[in-house]
Amino acid sequence: MNRITRRATLGVAATALAAPSLRAQGAAIRIVVPFGPGGSTDAVARLVSPGLTQRLGVPVVVENRGGAAGSIGTDIVAKARPDGQTWLLTFDSHATLAALIPQLPFNPDRDLDPVMLIGGAPYVLACKPDKPFRNITEVVDAAKARPEAVSFGSTGNGTIGHLTMVLLQGRTGTRMTHLPYRSGGLAVNDTVAGHVDMMIGSAAVVHPHVRGGTLRTFAQFGPQRLPALADLPTVAEAGIQGLEAEAWWGVFAPHGTPQATVARMNAALKESLAEEQVRRTMQETQQARLIMSSPEELGTFLQREVAKWGAVVRDNNIRAD
């Protein structure tokens, strides 16, 4: 009787989510990030993984599988067994995949189940401090004076940052040169080095470099000024209305993952994000507005994002790198 009780206690402690991985010695739950190291999505995944490891009772490892606007890593999760051992933590470009890649090897709606919308942060424009741009108007003026001479970096063709700049060019009658990168970290590196005039990225990936003095921001695309960037005007304040773009991070599971398993991961994420140090890092370092939604709320949110940004992809005939 004591042996049975002890086994039952261990099973509860490990939780239903972790149990499948415990059957294979040394197995771990993996969170697939469909982008390279150094970007905000990678940072968020690594920030929450220790708390998830503690709460789920098995190691939680982050696996970077970048490429093709995030579709390579996403495909891995879409085709994984729905057993609670493989999860996707992805970025806002997830909303553009179906429009961006016509021959996508998976269906984002059919093959993935929503788990949580973690939070969001406004997109910002940033440059090396010795670059001449001080506001969005100066960028527009320079691009008009020298079509295609002004360059900007993003995390890839069809990402929300790229699409935001496509809209900006369309509304201002300008042409700029786009340099797509495989991750936010690579875009930052080349911007800091001065190889690209500016970059568009989430406040999350840019802020540490702004704080360190290697980058300077000069515009933000949120609906209002971010508290940590209170002196930085929005593009609406600069006279460009209706051009809002916020980065977001979401977690998905392979379709068919049991609802109880999804609920357990959602709860573990909420508990991990609510830790004081993690919450502070998300808000102050990643510049994120925490949402920590239900699976249903992420599903509804994603539908709106797909409709909004998918139209930009189709209207401008944009394809993945």
Side-chain angles (χ1 to χ4, degrees), residues 60-82:
V60 175
V61 298
V62 176
E63 181 178 322
N64 297 93
R65 298 297 294 268
S71 65
I72 292 176
T74 302
D75 184 49
I76 291 171
V77 179
K79 293 177 179 175
R81 293 179 59 185

Side-chain angles (χ1 to χ4, degrees), residues 131-160:
K131 293 289 183 179
F133 309 122
R134 297 287 171 177
N135 53 60
I136 191 70
T137 301
E138 292 182 353
V139 170
V140 171
D141 290 344
K144 285 182 176 179
R146 298 178 297 136
E148 299 184 358
V150 176
S151 61
F152 71 92
S154 79
T155 53
N157 282 340
T159 57
I160 304 302

